[in-house]
């Protein structure tokens, strides 16, 4: 996935699952960018599928 703030690309698993103690819900799914700590929403499964189909672009 790509960070919406700094544009850094990283695997969702590499991101920081920062919201375990989120008061809104027990563990919202936000993924923090390892570079700038911006909270990104996780990519929808459909987007992941499309990316796999077309391969990774850099
Ligand atoms: Zn970032």
């Amino acid at each position: 996935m790509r960070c919406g703030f700094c544009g850094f690309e990283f695997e969702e698993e590499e991101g920081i699952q920062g919201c375990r103690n989120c008061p809104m819900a027990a563990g919202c799914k936000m993924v923090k960018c390892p570079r700038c700590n911006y909270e990104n929403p996780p990519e929808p499964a459909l987007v992941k599928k499309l990316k796999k189909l077309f391969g990774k672009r850099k």
Side-chain angles (χ1 to χ4, degrees), residues 1-22:
M1 66 188 295
R2 183 189 288 265
C3 172
F5 185 75
C6 71
F8 183 63
E9 274 197 72
F10 58 99
E11 297 299 318
E12 212 172 289
E13 296 78 38
E14 289 174 38
I16 305 157
Q17 309 276 329
C19 245
R20 293 243 168 82
N21 300 320
C22 186

Side-chain angles (χ1 to χ4, degrees), residues 3-8 10 33-38 40:
C3 172
F5 185 75
C6 71
F8 183 63
F10 58 99
C33 169
R35 190 199 239 177
C36 72
N37 250 20
Y38 175 80
N40 293 278

